[in-house]
Amino acid sequence: MPLPKIHDRRERRIARRRADILEAAMKVFAEKGIRQATTKEIAEAADIAEGTIYNYFANKEELVAEMLMYIGDVESRILDYVEGLKVDLRTFFHDYMLKRYRALEGNHRLIAVVFSEVLNTPELRDIYMQRTFMPGTKIMEDHLRTRIERGELPPMDVPTITRLLIGTILGLHLLIATGDEVTTELWADPQKFTDVLTDFLFNGLTPRSDAAE
Amino acid sequence: MPLPKIHDRRERRIARRRADILEAAMKVFAEKGIRQATTKEIAEAADIAEGTIYNYFANKEELVAEMLMYIGDVESRILDYVEGLKVDLRTFFHDYMLKRYRALEGNHRLIAVVFSEVLNTPELRDIYMQRTFMPGTKIMEDHLRTRIERGELPPMDVPTITRLLIGTILGLHLLIATGDEVTTELWADPQKFTDVLTDFLFNGLTPRSDAAE
Amino acid sequence: MPLPKIHDRRERRIARRRADILEAAMKVFAEKGIRQATTKEIAEAADIAEGTIYNYFANKEELVAEMLMYIGDVESRILDYVEGLKVDLRTFFHDYMLKRYRALEGNHRLIAVVFSEVLNTPELRDIYMQRTFMPGTKIMEDHLRTRIERGELPPMDVPTITRLLIGTILGLHLLIATGDEVTTELWADPQKFTDVLTDFLFNGLTPRSDAAE
Amino acid sequence: MPLPKIHDRRERRIARRRADILEAAMKVFAEKGIRQATTKEIAEAADIAEGTIYNYFANKEELVAEMLMYIGDVESRILDYVEGLKVDLRTFFHDYMLKRYRALEGNHRLIAVVFSEVLNTPELRDIYMQRTFMPGTKIMEDHLRTRIERGELPPMDVPTITRLLIGTILGLHLLIATGDEVTTELWADPQKFTDVLTDFLFNGLTPRSDAAE
DNA sequence: AATGAATGAGGATTCATTCAT
DNA sequence: GATGAATGAATCCTCATTCAT
């Protein structure tokens, strides 16, 4: 079956090229910001002609959308429902933070820039909600419900608590994105960061005796 | 001394005009987004000529910066160090949330739009950090330290905990800005919202028996 | 009443500027063709900045549409129903041809170029039909009907005959536009041209004895 | 002589391919207009690769020129000098109109599109003049001259009259192309159309008693 | 001080054409 | 000969900013 093979090869080549261009674009976006990045700059970064971008992406907006979906997929894969239930909740949180940390390491500027665009463009906001926020939220909610059923957590308003958890993590990302030094330093020490954050999420401002530092 | 008086009047008139233009700009920014808002639209909203804007602001960016400073001042005034220490910590948080809630009510779109710009533009980020973030952080840190000194709180890593508190609130704002329904509904009920949030910040995910729902 | 006056002056200035730009555009269109003419060239011909065009016209298409309407108005004014009925039909035709001749003298390339665009763009075609074709047709039809009522012409299928008359004139324009020498030379002698054409329209291929050359 | 044969076959294959591509191009041109038609679309319509077009045509313009020549050949063949002289003039005209009608039936959009391009592009205009206009003109002129010699027609300015005849037909085509309903309906009834047109060309506006409707 | 017309740099996008495979 | 990905020149339009009145 030679035809399918050729077809595959062609598709693979296209996918590879798209990925190359996307990667170059992400680099430029992170450096300059999304709207400040010109297609010319992206083309130069990808070492192709400006017009070639349009053989792989309908327009600049699709490039941004694709980037958002890519980031969403990366983020989605961090939360693992099945594996997460095998360990206790603290460990699950801790592991999640750590994986998240590793996935996003060094990409804070890109995250800031992307979030800037998401806040500004309804279409991108929808993509973010569907590809990143909602999947993550669902896993977290299911996880909490299972824990409650198991009796490991007291009954609670699961959707709301989920927002508080996700909101906190999101907020810390933004503090780093805005350049807060304390948060940045905290983040720089993954062990300490995950410890402190897990503790906060579990016990809040007033740690119990067994969790006090 | 007639001259100073005239000067005062002049300055007041200038200040008033700046405020008028700023108000019009904020309205347009909230509606369209900052970069989508044109100076033409702002001039129309302020009922002046386009060129007049430039008699009061150096350029569009200064307009945005000024808006950011204005918002920062409003936000700063919410946290009252002196008054806050007169009540217990829960009440202080609760009051703060409520005041914050009232100050920002109906301005989520503007907040989203401004934050979008802050995330994108280093210069604006600096303004945000200096006028909004740092003052708020300082008050919160001082507050916590005083509470610790008083023995009302256990010893803790104050700067870090402060980031967690502020990060959480910031994260919730962004969840609303991105259109999450659960968070939006939560926010719509100020009493419940402040209760739940205060509880979370105090006790985290695992409320003690006395705080259980 | 000074305000109306100022308003008038402003309006007149705008109208004059529009006219200036339109004139420059028509010149460039005639030289290069409509789609080959760039906004840059039009701006240069009008001795203004490229952006200034857009203070007076929404886009290039509006410029073309406006030109078409202008031409339509010029053409419409050629056919004078009231005056036309005062003279006999031959004289009416003769005068019409002569006025048309004078109005269009030296503008054949522009006419060709405009007609090219009309044939290509539905929106422009509609403008042409409404502003030029239909008014002219109506006057001609009314004219013929009045003549028939007066007994100066035999009963006939007025709409069809009108199309044949207008079609013939239109066709000759196009022959000139395509560069046919015979037609061009004929046109160059207005007296002969109008004579021959009037004769043809009246008597067709087989002139009666009294009309024979 | 095997080589010539192969050569012939080769040439025939090339000719066939050119014709295929041309046919596809004409289809796309008629649908979209010439300049709106992309080489990509033409390639798709011809079910070949975009680059293949350039193995058979130097560029898009040659494709248009070739189409124009093809149309010219079709139109030329409508006017048959030898056959035409066997019948009387009215019948000759009538037959010509009818043949023309059948040849062009359903191709008004293509005619409009082609004429639009001819009016716009001097190079195409020349092709049109040489391949379509001049041959047709010549046959018509010769025809009229022969009739005059035979005494069937009075002496007349043959070139001018020929332009009037051709111009009228051309004009009617354009009225249809611009969407005039009366002309379109007239055209839709070939018998009536040819009758009316022949009558007009013969007798003009003032039909003699024997031709009156 | 207010005006608003003029400015023109800047940028996304299209598409005929080329050429390595 | 066929392919179709790569090319990049070309162009319309936007809009913050200026400045003569």
Side-chain angles (χ1 to χ4, degrees):
Chain A
M1 37 175 116
L3 272 174
K5 243 179 192 163
I6 285 168
H7 202 247
D8 273 12
R9 207 181 294 164
R10 191 189 118 100
E11 284 196 344
R12 274 205 309 276
R13 200 195 50 228
I14 289 175
R16 211 182 318 130
R17 208 62 129 99
R18 274 180 75 92
D20 287 349
I21 295 172
L22 198 55
E23 195 182 354
M26 285 169 76
K27 204 174 144 190
V28 179
F29 286 155
E31 275 170 20
K32 307 241 172 180
I34 288 176
R35 70 170 181 274
Q36 293 92 340
T38 65
T39 49
K40 192 170 160 51
E41 285 168 334
I42 293 168
E44 273 165 17
D47 203 29
I48 55 171
E50 218 176 333
T52 305
I53 295 172
Y54 292 86
N55 290 337
Y56 295 90
F57 298 90
N59 47 40
K60 193 182 167 184
E61 197 178 343
E62 189 180 297
L63 206 48
V64 178
E66 204 86 349
M67 173 175 68
L68 199 56
M69 291 197 270
Y70 171 76
I71 292 175
D73 290 346
V74 170
E75 287 209 31
S76 293
R77 250 174 276 123
I78 296 172
L79 263 177
D80 188 330
Y81 178 66
V82 177
E83 286 302 309
L85 282 174
K86 292 181 184 165
V87 296
D88 72 284
L89 189 55
R90 273 195 77 103
T91 309
F92 166 66
F93 271 164
H94 201 279
D95 286 357
Y96 170 52
M97 299 305 158
L98 211 57
K99 279 194 276 185
R100 205 183 164 77
Y101 173 86
R102 283 180 185 135
L104 302 177
E105 207 175 0
N107 289 318
H108 288 297
R109 172 72 187 146
L110 183 61
I111 290 169
V113 145
V114 166
F115 220 91
S116 168
E117 209 60 24
V118 166
L119 287 173
N120 220 322
T121 313
E123 190 174 309
L124 295 179
R125 201 202 59 192
D126 292 347
I127 293 175
Y128 171 76
M129 291 306 280
Q130 278 165 33
R131 299 282 290 226
T132 308
F133 182 79
M134 279 166 58
T137 303
K138 190 172 183 331
I139 291 175
M140 185 66 85
E141 287 182 0
D142 290 345
H143 196 106
L144 290 179
R145 284 202 187 91
T146 306
R147 297 276 182 191
I148 292 167
E149 278 168 26
R150 281 189 192 168
E152 297 174 24
L153 279 176
M156 55 175 67
D157 181 347
V158 170
T160 300
I161 294 296
T162 300
R163 266 67 187 181
L164 290 171
L165 294 174
I166 289 179
T168 302
I169 294 165
L170 195 55
L172 290 178
H173 273 304
L174 291 175
L175 289 186
I176 294 170
T178 51
D180 174 56
E181 288 182 13
V182 173
T183 315
T184 307
E185 276 169 32
L186 180 65
W187 185 277
D189 181 348
Q191 203 57 43
K192 188 188 172 194
F193 171 68
T194 47
D195 279 352
V196 169
L197 182 52
T198 308
D199 221 55
F200 178 73
L201 294 178
F202 260 72
N203 299 318
L205 196 58
T206 52
R208 253 134 309 174
S209 48
D210 62 300
E213 202 182 354
Chain B
M1 33 173 113
L3 275 173
K5 240 179 194 167
I6 286 168
H7 202 248
D8 272 13
R9 209 181 291 161
R10 191 188 116 100
E11 283 197 343
R12 274 206 309 278
R13 201 191 52 225
I14 290 177
R16 212 181 316 129
R17 208 62 124 94
R18 276 179 73 94
D20 287 349
I21 295 173
L22 198 56
E23 195 181 354
M26 284 171 74
K27 205 175 145 189
V28 178
F29 286 157
E31 274 171 20
K32 306 239 172 181
I34 288 176
R35 64 175 183 267
Q36 293 91 338
T38 64
T39 48
K40 191 172 162 52
E41 285 167 332
I42 293 168
E44 271 164 20
D47 204 29
I48 55 170
E50 219 178 331
T52 307
I53 295 172
Y54 291 84
N55 291 334
Y56 295 90
F57 298 89
N59 48 38
K60 191 183 171 184
E61 199 178 343
E62 189 180 298
L63 207 49
V64 179
E66 204 85 350
M67 173 175 69
L68 200 56
M69 291 196 269
Y70 171 77
I71 291 175
D73 291 346
V74 170
E75 285 209 33
S76 294
R77 250 174 276 126
I78 295 172
L79 265 177
D80 187 329
Y81 178 66
V82 177
E83 286 302 309
L85 282 173
K86 290 181 185 166
V87 297
D88 71 285
L89 189 56
R90 272 196 80 104
T91 309
F92 166 66
F93 271 165
H94 201 279
D95 287 358
Y96 169 53
M97 299 304 158
L98 213 55
K99 278 194 276 184
R100 204 184 165 76
Y101 175 86
R102 284 180 185 135
L104 302 178
E105 206 176 1
N107 290 317
H108 286 297
R109 172 75 188 140
L110 183 61
I111 291 169
V113 146
V114 166
F115 218 91
S116 168
E117 209 59 24
V118 166
L119 287 173
N120 206 3
T121 314
E123 191 171 312
L124 294 178
R125 200 201 58 193
D126 292 346
I127 293 174
Y128 172 77
M129 291 308 280
Q130 279 164 35
R131 300 284 292 223
T132 307
F133 182 80
M134 280 166 60
T137 304
K138 187 167 185 337
I139 291 174
M140 185 66 86
E141 287 181 1
D142 290 347
H143 195 106
L144 290 178
R145 283 201 188 93
T146 304
R147 298 273 184 192
I148 292 168
E149 277 169 24
R150 281 190 192 168
E152 297 173 25
L153 279 175
M156 56 176 67
D157 180 348
V158 170
T160 299
I161 293 296
T162 299
R163 266 69 188 179
L164 290 171
L165 294 173
I166 289 178
T168 302
I169 293 165
L170 195 55
L172 291 179
H173 274 303
L174 289 175
L175 289 186
I176 292 171
T178 50
D180 174 57
E181 289 182 12
V182 172
T183 315
T184 305
E185 275 169 32
L186 180 64
W187 184 278
D189 181 348
Q191 202 57 45
K192 189 187 173 195
F193 172 67
T194 48
D195 279 351
V196 169
L197 183 53
T198 308
D199 221 54
F200 179 73
L201 295 179
F202 259 71
N203 300 319
L205 196 58
T206 52
R208 253 137 304 177
S209 50
D210 62 299
E213 201 181 352
Chain C
M1 38 175 112
L3 272 173
K5 242 179 192 164
I6 285 170
H7 202 248
D8 273 13
R9 206 180 295 163
R10 191 190 117 100
E11 285 196 346
R12 274 205 309 277
R13 200 195 49 227
I14 289 176
R16 210 183 318 131
R17 207 65 130 99
R18 274 181 75 93
D20 287 350
I21 295 173
L22 198 54
E23 198 182 350
M26 284 170 75
K27 205 174 143 190
V28 179
F29 287 155
E31 276 170 21
K32 307 241 172 180
I34 288 176
R35 70 169 180 274
Q36 293 90 339
T38 65
T39 50
K40 190 171 159 55
E41 285 167 334
I42 294 168
E44 271 164 21
D47 203 30
I48 55 171
E50 216 177 333
T52 305
I53 295 172
Y54 293 85
N55 291 336
Y56 294 90
F57 298 89
N59 47 40
K60 193 182 167 185
E61 198 178 343
E62 190 181 295
L63 206 48
V64 179
E66 204 85 351
M67 173 176 66
L68 197 55
M69 291 197 269
Y70 171 77
I71 292 174
D73 289 346
V74 170
E75 287 209 31
S76 293
R77 250 174 275 125
I78 297 173
L79 264 176
D80 188 331
Y81 179 66
V82 178
E83 287 300 310
L85 282 173
K86 293 181 183 164
V87 297
D88 72 283
L89 190 54
R90 273 196 77 103
T91 310
F92 166 67
F93 271 164
H94 202 279
D95 287 357
Y96 170 52
M97 300 303 160
L98 210 57
K99 280 194 273 185
R100 204 183 166 75
Y101 173 85
R102 284 181 185 135
L104 302 178
E105 206 175 1
N107 290 317
H108 288 297
R109 172 73 187 144
L110 183 61
I111 290 168
V113 144
V114 166
F115 219 90
S116 167
E117 209 59 24
V118 166
L119 287 174
N120 219 324
T121 313
E123 188 174 313
L124 295 179
R125 202 202 58 194
D126 292 345
I127 293 174
Y128 171 76
M129 291 307 280
Q130 279 165 33
R131 299 282 291 222
T132 307
F133 182 79
M134 280 166 58
T137 304
K138 189 172 182 334
I139 290 174
M140 185 66 86
E141 288 183 0
D142 290 347
H143 196 106
L144 290 178
R145 285 202 186 90
T146 305
R147 298 275 183 192
I148 292 167
E149 278 168 27
R150 283 189 191 167
E152 298 173 23
L153 278 175
M156 56 176 66
D157 180 347
V158 170
T160 300
I161 295 294
T162 300
R163 266 69 189 180
L164 290 170
L165 294 173
I166 289 178
T168 302
I169 294 165
L170 194 55
L172 291 177
H173 273 302
L174 290 175
L175 290 186
I176 293 170
T178 51
D180 174 55
E181 287 181 14
V182 173
T183 314
T184 306
E185 275 169 31
L186 180 63
W187 185 278
D189 181 348
Q191 203 57 45
K192 189 187 173 197
F193 171 70
T194 48
D195 279 352
V196 169
L197 183 52
T198 308
D199 222 54
F200 179 74
L201 294 179
F202 261 71
N203 300 318
L205 197 57
T206 53
R208 256 135 305 177
S209 49
D210 62 300
E213 201 181 354
Chain D
M1 36 174 113
L3 271 175
K5 240 181 194 163
I6 285 170
H7 202 249
D8 273 11
R9 207 181 295 163
R10 193 188 112 102
E11 284 196 345
R12 275 206 308 277
R13 202 192 50 225
I14 289 177
R16 211 182 317 130
R17 208 61 124 95
R18 275 179 73 92
D20 287 348
I21 295 173
L22 198 55
E23 195 181 354
M26 285 171 73
K27 205 175 146 190
V28 178
F29 287 156
E31 276 170 20
K32 307 239 173 182
I34 289 176
R35 67 174 181 269
Q36 293 91 340
T38 65
T39 49
K40 190 172 163 53
E41 286 168 331
I42 294 168
E44 271 164 19
D47 204 28
I48 55 170
E50 220 177 331
T52 307
I53 295 172
Y54 291 84
N55 291 334
Y56 295 90
F57 298 90
N59 48 38
K60 191 182 170 183
E61 198 177 345
E62 190 181 296
L63 206 49
V64 179
E66 205 83 352
M67 173 175 68
L68 201 54
M69 292 196 267
Y70 171 78
I71 291 174
D73 291 347
V74 170
E75 286 209 32
S76 294
R77 251 173 274 127
I78 296 173
L79 264 176
D80 187 330
Y81 179 66
V82 179
E83 287 300 309
L85 281 173
K86 293 180 183 164
V87 297
D88 71 284
L89 188 56
R90 270 196 79 103
T91 309
F92 166 67
F93 270 167
H94 202 279
D95 287 357
Y96 170 52
M97 298 305 158
L98 213 55
K99 277 195 275 185
R100 203 184 166 73
Y101 174 86
R102 284 181 185 135
L104 302 178
E105 205 177 1
N107 290 318
H108 287 297
R109 171 76 187 141
L110 183 61
I111 291 168
V113 146
V114 166
F115 217 90
S116 167
E117 209 59 24
V118 166
L119 287 173
N120 205 5
T121 314
E123 190 171 313
L124 295 179
R125 200 201 58 192
D126 293 345
I127 293 174
Y128 171 76
M129 291 308 281
Q130 279 165 35
R131 300 283 292 223
T132 308
F133 182 80
M134 281 167 60
T137 304
K138 188 169 185 337
I139 291 174
M140 184 68 83
E141 287 182 359
D142 290 347
H143 195 105
L144 290 177
R145 285 205 185 87
T146 306
R147 298 274 183 190
I148 291 167
E149 277 169 24
R150 283 190 192 166
E152 297 173 24
L153 276 177
M156 54 175 70
D157 180 347
V158 169
T160 299
I161 295 295
T162 300
R163 265 70 187 178
L164 290 171
L165 293 173
I166 290 179
T168 302
I169 294 165
L170 194 54
L172 291 178
H173 274 303
L174 289 175
L175 289 186
I176 293 170
T178 50
D180 175 56
E181 288 183 12
V182 173
T183 314
T184 306
E185 276 170 31
L186 180 64
W187 184 277
D189 181 349
Q191 203 57 44
K192 189 188 173 196
F193 172 69
T194 48
D195 279 354
V196 169
L197 183 52
T198 308
D199 222 55
F200 179 73
L201 295 177
F202 261 71
N203 299 319
L205 196 58
T206 53
R208 256 135 306 179
S209 48
D210 63 299
E213 199 183 355

